[in-house]
Amino acid sequence: MRIVALVLAVSALSLWLGHPAPKAKSMNALPAQTDERGPVKVDIDDSDLFFQNAIRVAGPQRDNSQKIEALLKRMTLEEKVGQMTQLAIGMIAKGRDQEIQIDPAKLDKAIVRYGVGSILNVAEQALTVDKWHEIINQIQETATKKTRLGIPVIYGIDSIHGANYVQGATLFPQEIGMAATWNPELMKRGSEIAAMETRAAGIPWSFSPVLDIGRQPVWPRFYETFGEDPYLAKVMGAAFVRGLEGTDVGSQDHVAASLKHYMGYSFPLSGRDRTPGWIPENYLREYFLPTFDAAVKAGAHTVMVNSAEINGIPGHINRHILTDILRDELGFKGFVVSDWEDIKKLVTNWHVAANEKEATRMAIMAGIDMSMVPLDYSFSDHLIALVKEGAVPQSRIDEAVRRILKVKFELGLFDNPMPNPALKSRVGLPESRQTSLQAARESMTLLKNTNNLLPLSKDRKVLVTGPTADSLISLNNGWTYVWQGSEESLYPKDRRTIRRAIEAKAGAANVTYVPGTKIVRPAGTPSNNTPTNLEAEVDIPAAVRAAGAVDVVVLCLGEGSYTETPGDIADLSLGEPQRKLAEAIEATGKPIVLVLVEGRPRVINRIADNASAVLMAYNPGNEGGQAVADVLFGDFNPCGKLPFTYPRFPNGLITYDHKVFETESFDNAGIRPQFEFGEGLSYTTFSYKDLRLNRKTIGASDQLSVSVTVTNSGRRAGKEVVQLYVSDLVASLSPAGKRLKRFAKVFLTPGQSRTLTFKLRPEDLSFIGANNKPVLEPGDFEVMIAGLKDRFELK
């Protein structure tokens, strides 16, 4: 019945798009869309209008304060501390993987004896919806019926790029790929689907989005960010939060968000995970705070803390950041949860506390409300003792528990904590998969296309080679079915890799596949000290021989799967086996289409320089193979734009907003970027004209209107991302070369023009001064859109 339903749904969608339905035998691919816009057909005429709507919290405003205060009065100290405790599922279960079962004795110890308020995680791998319902039902039955006060548990999970720990769920491009779409409406729709499928499993809380800024591309969680620019990231982040939480987080198709990792986690000096960052506070506020500020305004209910330290202070004891800024300045009303074992690590890693008891006191007093302990009961025991000794005031405990109960009430857990069986059928819907495919397509970023090699005609002979060509693992990366995304057996069998999608597109007779190299994963479960990706040569000579019999080579390079510490690398250089394969293929003289499937920009300078075309695919998810083939063969017109600056050399790590010096250049230093932030080609062309400002002089309280006309000057319909940058020409702190302030994404048919108008407000012209406060200084500014420039003066 499921197969028939899918065929009917796809047939209906195909008729709506105006082309014949596929035959039932093609069950592993969605039909190519002749409508370039896809199912999410909303143009973003002005990113600021979308953003202002996204942060406008609407919906029911339920006042549960009386219920919360009444409950607090009835709670013992032990029950309150229990609510502040979060344990991993292994603390209440036995068995692993699909054999996991709740252990009644362990469950009673956690929920009844210790009153634990939150459970998280999986036992290694994604579970079916039925298994999730079985587990959540038993937890909530115990919490609501066997405890004195019947307080429900809040279960949390990492739904990073979809409900990735629910088997059969819809997976999307990782955040870096979603940023490349420059389409916040599509981001919002994707997170709505993720929320629906997470809640369908009975889980009301997602540890997402990642709002760290990707300005250190060596960092192994770079792909989990929205890239290097705080404006693009805050717009996409607000869209993510609005999609997860909706206008009523208590509804059965939404979940509470957790903003992470507050803040500065993504900028380690070494590039390695969970290592120190050195970030002056004005720089922290300029670049790393805006995403969290926006998401708090959007109504996010929880925040997760930076696991590392900045300026010598671990995130989990940084009261200035956790309380002074987050609570007093941003006005955050939800609760703050630690990351995995991070209170313990104040002793073992950071050496700021002599023992765990003292670390617990420091973290709670800094502003941690809930501890992801998560593998023992030490936190509860220590905190109860601290309160009894007077080292932590009862008022601080009440404050934390009040916040936790508020979120539980707003999620509707006190009304109905049980999973809803009726929602099971909403996991993995065909229309959700279509949205995922659209996201993957719109993320595809064409960075080079010499002599219009692309799109390829479908009768050309093609060699497909490289370690990422036949890998769903590479298309997805970490946080996919397992923590490291590395368990091939869990991936769906009906999704096409790049190789299989090209074979389907061009015909198997026209396609030769030789891997050339492979990415090897060590046996066993990765630990924090185990690298997850090693490269090896397989049959480079065979790939060279095969190249002699084809017209073009599709060379798929990049990375396997990783996240966190197992993804640490020495630098961004691509592995030697892949470099050897590329050099050998280049020597054949055949035109090369380089497809990059990677979570961070690995250095590919000579390879990219010698390739005829370069397509950046990021980690596009399970529909990524289809999306790559659709772009390569012209069934979709690429419209992605880079959300980061692609370095040419391992030490050439600059961002687009770098300082501009008249007497020095990055070109002379040999670190000119491989590709620029915001870059991305199309199979059509766009022209710009009539950049106009409504005034040349504005006051400190005035708005400035900026208009421009963009025209599709080519012969094919397509989407264009219009990017508005502003330069502060003279400032008391040396200004950035330029800063992104607005963008739009519009669909244009051949010959069609659109005049877009953006409004800049005074805060768009300010910067964070040496006193860590916003500064708006009079002077000259320059506005830039696609090579057009104009100036105005702020009086």
Side-chain angles (χ1 to χ4, degrees), residues 683-688 710-716 748-753:
Y683 293 150
T684 190
T685 55
F686 299 95
S687 60
Y688 289 77
V710 58
T711 300
N712 184 338
S713 52
R715 291 189 252 174
R716 176 165 181 173
L748 297 171
T749 57
Q752 183 183 5
S753 297

Side-chain angles (χ1 to χ4, degrees), residues 666-680:
F666 287 106
D667 286 3
N668 292 339
I671 53 174
R672 175 170 52 91
Q674 188 78 50
F675 303 108
E676 299 279 359
F677 173 88
E679 189 174 342

